[in-house]
Amino acid sequence: MSILEQIKEVTIAGDAVKAEELARQAVNEGIAPGEIIQDGFIAAMTVVGEKFKNQEIFVPEMLRAARAMQAGLKVIKPLVVGGEIKNLARVVLGTVKGDLHDIGKNLVGMMMEGAGIEVIDLGIDVPEEKFVEAVKTYQPHILAMSALLTTTMPAMRSTIEALERAGLRSNVKVLIGGAPVSQKFADEIGADGYAANAGEAVDKVKELLQ
Ligand code: B1M
């Protein structure tokens, strides 16, 4: 079994110690960070999501798999983020209210930092008023929101509405993403941009700055 397949297997099994160990080994073998993330960890999460949907596994197993992925990502982060700070733009980032998923958001933040973008990460389950407050305080170029549940997508719309009520909508561009989100939804709620993955999110930030 290749090392990426092993990473996938141990992550599905929720073995954080092995996931971290194998991620280190893969890095030492010179495998590109993007490949480790995509073909190892994200591939594992796709299987985990399928198994959960088919009721072959339940929330505790899904949580263990997420922890294993996070342990592996810790090893890879320094390679992606690097040392140089360029501050190309400032982004306020968060997972919307009611939503506790943060792996995708963290990857987005990591890729942005790697591209020289300053990221202020508000974490998970972020209510509209906290996003609004952060826009006032940090005056970012972009407000970036993540949602992984169809039930939390409406919080993106209500955050945009809250920005409008606060008179801040024209001060900031809004970028959204997450598995159930689409360009169509972004258009519907009046977001300025949508990105399907972390790499695209970086490109979108650059595009929105122009
Ligand atoms: Co949850 N969960 N989960 N979960 N979970 C999903 C999302 C689900 C699709 C699984 C399934 O049924 N197949 C399903 C949602 C169904 C739906 O609404 N359509 C689901 C469910 C139902 C739930 C609960 C309701 C389960 C329950 O309690 N009964 C519950 C909800 C809790 C809550 O949030 N209130 C729940 C809980 C959890 C855990 C806590 C156990 C755990 C999360 C741990 C954590 O994040 N720290 C978890 C996990 C791990 C998953 C799956 C398996 C994996 C998610 C993940 O990390 N993927 C997921 C199934 C799946 O996605 N296949 C599932 C890897 C990650 C890199 O991808 O997050 O998609 P992703 O991010 C991508 C892109 O989407 C994009 O870029 C990222 C990198 O390329 N992206 C952006 C994300 N944000 C972006 C923002 C951008 C741009 C791009 O710009 C701002």
Side-chain angles (χ1 to χ4, degrees):
M1 209 193 289
S2 77
I3 188 151
L4 293 178
E5 279 163 350
Q6 289 179 57
I7 288 178
K8 184 174 159 190
E9 288 307 313
V10 300
T11 306
I12 294 169
D15 189 335
V17 174
K18 285 237 169 66
E20 188 178 334
E21 212 174 276
L22 286 167
R24 195 159 285 125
Q25 196 183 322
V27 166
N28 289 339
E29 285 181 16
I31 302 174
E35 219 175 305
I36 304 173
I37 293 172
Q38 195 58 48
D39 299 341
F41 292 114
I42 293 186
M45 282 305 163
T46 306
V47 175
V48 168
E50 280 304 306
K51 283 181 182 265
F52 178 76
K53 203 165 64 190
N54 299 331
Q55 301 192 334
E56 290 166 45
I57 61 165
F58 300 93
V59 171
E61 287 96 329
M62 193 155 67
L63 194 55
R64 273 198 291 276
R67 290 200 182 121
M69 176 160 180
Q70 278 158 338
L73 286 182
K74 249 193 348 221
V75 175
I76 297 162
K77 187 173 178 183
L79 297 181
V80 178
V81 175
E84 197 193 350
I85 302 163
K86 283 176 280 178
N87 287 350
L88 207 76
R90 180 180 290 166
V91 172
V92 162
L93 172 69
T95 301
V96 297
K97 186 169 68 184
D99 203 319
L100 308 177
H101 296 84
D102 67 355
I103 298 179
K105 166 188 71 65
N106 293 345
L107 267 182
V108 168
M110 196 163 120
M111 294 291 285
M112 285 182 179
E113 286 180 352
I117 296 164
E118 182 191 358
V119 177
I120 294 146
D121 189 342
L122 304 181
I124 53 173
D125 192 16
V126 181
E128 292 86 354
E129 53 283 11
K130 196 168 166 191
F131 277 123
V132 169
E133 212 38 58
V135 168
K136 268 193 209 147
T137 309
Y138 301 107
Q139 304 186 346
H141 302 89
I142 315 267
L143 173 63
M145 291 185 275
S146 176
L148 259 288
L149 300 172
T150 43
T151 49
T152 57
M153 286 164 65
M156 294 176 152
R157 187 196 295 270
S158 47
T159 302
I160 293 178
E161 287 167 355
L163 281 174
E164 278 162 5
R165 280 196 303 277
L168 295 167
R169 181 64 186 92
S170 57
N171 298 10
V172 69
K173 302 275 186 199
V174 176
L175 173 67
I176 63 169
V181 179
S182 63
Q183 181 63 56
K184 183 168 170 282
F185 180 69
D187 295 340
E188 263 171 44
I189 66 170
D192 300 293
Y194 156 76
N197 55 51
E200 261 186 40
V202 171
D203 294 340
K204 261 288 164 293
V205 167
K206 291 180 180 163
E207 200 182 302
L208 290 173
L209 284 178
Q210 281 162 10

